[in-house]
Amino acid sequence: MNELPEVVRLLIFLVGIIGFAALNAAYLVWVERKGAAHIQRRIGPKEVGPFGLIQPLADGVKLMTKQLLVPAGVDPILFKVAPILLLVPAIMSFLVIPFSEDLVGRDINIGLLMIFAFASVNVFGVLIGGWGSNNKYAVISAARAVSQNVAYEIPMLLIVISIVMVSNTMNLNEIIRQQAGWFFNWNVCRIWVNPLMPIAFVVFFICSLAETNRAPFDLAEAESELIAGAYTEYSGMGFGVFFMGEYANIVIGCALTTILFLGGWQSPIPWSPAGLLGTLWGVSWFLVKMYFLIWTVVWIRWTYPRIQFYYLLNLSWKILIPFALINLILTAAMIKVF
């Protein structure tokens, strides 16, 4: 693809990324419902298509044919802009995700910074959606989402800074290249660089769960007390776009965890075929690692109960942030000494 003109190449990637995000949003719902069915002994989708595989398409048609209601009393501009603010930054983040060494929309030196810049816009979607809905439950939900994001972005960024210090770059492909070789060269196993790396991986994953408002951190939704939270007043594809944005953010979070800690597109053994097979080899390993993490997210949601809000903030401010600071200082000391 590198031989194609830049504009054509970007258009192909943009169309591919939107299709990838839409497909993930549709079929991760199916995976989630099937996972919940097995874990909690429920009945999952099984009527539409074999094993219920056509159910996401039927749900999509249902959402698109529903009328998009704008309730009286809401701010019409904020109400309509909020879902877009949640979905568009997530899709833009895909542009710098390297699925293999040469399969990336834009291989830029500040790819990591770009993802976090777009990720910081997501919370505005929830905040504006709740505020513009003119509903007290939606406003409470939005306030929870903002405080949760602030609390968990701090330890997440401190962990990322330690990875940047170890890698000496913010280029995502370069971070992956430095993890080449056997699997113990992946950042999660590099205890000779920082003995706290495995724990840093767990902390980063916990923070990414909180960033995407997933259980047990889904306090912005909390349907038993906030009636679907910030999305209470949304119907049809208004709600559907929020839903797509949430699943796109889960994919971004798991992709970033794969890149920073699990070697990205690197295989666990120091071997790779050449040419097109090498690209497919890298893409396959990247997707296997990423979808394993996504399945872990589903498993956690249907296994652990939702925690109370002050527990969530205490966990971040009293445990995760101090650990992330210690991890950062230790990383700096190890780099200075060795």
Side-chain angles (χ1 to χ4, degrees):
M1 290 187 70
N2 292 330
E3 298 80 16
L4 295 173
E6 189 67 13
V7 176
V8 177
R9 187 168 170 270
L10 274 177
L11 281 175
I12 291 173
F13 263 96
L14 198 57
V15 172
I17 284 167
I18 292 173
F20 182 73
L23 197 66
N24 271 285
Y27 277 93
L28 285 182
V29 174
W30 179 84
V31 170
E32 179 133 26
R33 293 174 70 182
K34 283 291 185 184
H38 284 288
I39 293 170
Q40 297 196 344
R41 305 187 73 178
R42 300 179 176 195
I43 297 178
K46 63 176 185 177
E47 300 296 336
V48 188
F51 307 106
L53 278 168
I54 312 297
Q55 185 66 46
L57 297 179
D59 290 340
V61 171
K62 182 182 73 176
L63 285 174
M64 284 187 281
T65 51
K66 272 190 169 182
Q67 184 181 5
L68 181 57
L69 294 173
V70 181
V74 305
D75 185 313
I77 297 177
L78 296 184
F79 189 79
K80 292 175 182 174
V81 165
I84 299 170
L85 274 179
L86 193 71
L87 180 61
V88 172
I91 289 179
M92 294 301 292
S93 298
F94 278 109
L95 278 174
V96 294
I97 296 288
F99 291 89
S100 78
E101 187 164 17
D102 49 5
L103 188 60
V104 53
R106 296 290 292 179
D107 189 13
I108 58 177
N109 289 333
I110 54 169
L112 190 55
L113 183 63
M114 181 178 158
I115 287 180
F116 279 98
F118 280 119
S120 64
V121 179
N122 288 335
V123 69
F124 283 108
V126 180
L127 177 63
I128 290 175
W131 182 262
S133 294
N134 194 24
N135 176 309
K136 65 181 178 183
Y137 296 110
V139 173
I140 293 171
S141 168
R144 282 186 175 188
V146 172
S147 57
Q148 180 175 321
N149 271 265
V150 170
Y152 280 84
E153 272 188 1
I154 295 172
M156 177 180 260
L157 288 173
L158 290 173
I159 296 291
V160 168
I161 290 171
S162 68
I163 295 291
V164 171
M165 289 168 67
V166 168
S167 308
N168 200 25
T169 180
M170 285 196 284
N171 183 303
L172 295 176
N173 241 340
E174 183 56 33
I175 291 173
I176 294 173
R177 287 191 197 101
Q178 292 186 19
Q179 301 175 69
W182 291 96
F183 66 93
F184 45 75
N185 283 327
W186 297 352
N187 280 333
V188 66
C189 301
R190 295 173 75 181
I191 55 175
W192 59 92
V193 173
N194 180 349
L196 298 178
M197 273 295 188
I199 306 174
F201 163 71
V202 175
V203 170
F204 185 86
F205 190 63
I206 291 172
C207 293
S208 68
L209 278 179
E211 281 282 299
T212 51
N213 291 322
R214 295 288 298 184
F217 305 109
D218 57 338
L219 299 174
E221 183 176 351
E223 70 272 11
S224 60
E225 46 188 301
L226 293 177
I227 319 173
Y231 319 137
T232 302
E233 302 293 347
Y234 285 88
S235 61
M237 274 312 288
F239 178 80
V241 172
F242 270 119
F243 215 62
M244 286 178 65
E246 181 177 313
Y247 277 97
N249 282 322
I250 293 170
V251 176
I252 290 289
C254 291
L256 199 57
T257 310
T258 301
I259 292 167
L260 296 182
F261 289 97
L262 301 180
W265 39 260
Q266 301 279 5
S267 72
I269 56 173
W271 179 82
S272 173
L276 180 61
L277 282 179
T279 301
L280 294 175
W281 177 259
V283 172
S284 302
W285 278 112
F286 184 88
L287 294 180
V288 164
K289 296 171 192 174
M290 187 184 77
Y291 283 118
F292 173 76
L293 290 176
I294 289 174
W295 170 250
T296 306
V297 171
V298 172
W299 165 66
I300 289 172
R301 174 174 184 182
W302 297 103
T303 304
Y304 292 96
R306 178 182 295 127
I307 60 175
Q308 291 180 324
F309 191 61
Y310 54 86
Y311 284 152
L312 178 143
L313 294 183
N314 280 341
L315 175 65
S316 174
W317 290 98
K318 293 183 178 177
I319 298 176
L320 300 187
I321 291 178
F323 169 79
L325 277 171
I326 292 170
N327 179 68
L328 183 66
I329 294 169
L330 184 61
T331 303
M334 295 281 285
I335 291 172
K336 188 69 177 175
V337 173
F338 299 105

